[in-house]
């Protein structure tokens, strides 16, 4: 990866979801735009916060898709990442998703 780019594999999601009330929501249901979680597989030289192996939260509709060996990945800028799910607490407030 070059510059501030991040290569992400979207986490596999179940087709059906269940609401907190127990109602089954089918995969074909029309929903508002949702953010998605993914796993970082590569980072560019100028990426500061995201590391390979991190789980990140992002908007999948605004990203570029690339297919490598029949696998679909997303390429995005580091600034397009909304959150990082991390156990690292060496910097910051210690408040992580």
């Amino acid at each position: 990866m070059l510059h501030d780019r991040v290569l992400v594999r979207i986490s596999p999601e179940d087709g059906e979801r269940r609401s907190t009330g127990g109602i089954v929501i089918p995969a074909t249901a029309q929903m508002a735009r949702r953010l998605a979680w993914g796993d970082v597989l590569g980072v560019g030289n100028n990426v500061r916060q995201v590391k390979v192996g991190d789980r990140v939260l992002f908007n999948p509709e605004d990203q570029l898709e690339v297919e490598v060996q029949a696998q679909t990945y997303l390429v995005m800028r580091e600034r397009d990442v909304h959150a990082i799910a991390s156990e690292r607490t060496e910097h910051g407030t210690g408040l992580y998703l």
Side-chain angles (χ1 to χ4, degrees):
M1 301 306 300
L2 297 175
H3 307 294
D4 65 341
R5 302 295 195 249
V6 178
L7 181 69
V8 175
R9 177 181 57 216
I10 295 181
S11 299
E13 296 183 13
D14 297 332
E16 292 182 345
R17 293 187 328 273
R18 190 172 295 272
S19 72
T20 55
I23 298 171
V24 175
I25 302 170
T28 57
Q30 187 81 9
M31 294 193 57
R33 293 180 18 179
R34 295 183 66 122
L35 297 177
W37 287 100
D39 300 316
V40 176
L41 300 178
V43 296
N45 295 335
N46 296 335
V47 174
R48 294 189 234 163
Q49 299 293 322
V50 180
K51 307 285 186 235
V52 173
D54 284 348
R55 269 180 75 70
V56 294
L57 184 67
F58 60 93
N59 184 355
E61 295 176 6
D62 295 339
Q63 309 312 321
L64 301 173
E65 288 188 4
V66 62
E67 188 172 324
V68 178
Q69 296 180 353
Q71 293 283 346
T72 301
Y73 302 100
L74 298 177
V75 177
M76 67 184 75
R77 291 180 183 258
E78 181 182 23
R79 69 179 183 207
D80 294 333
V81 172
H82 293 282
I84 301 171
S86 175
E87 295 181 13
R88 295 189 314 254
T89 58
E90 66 267 4
H91 298 292
T93 63
L95 300 174
Y96 296 92
L97 294 178

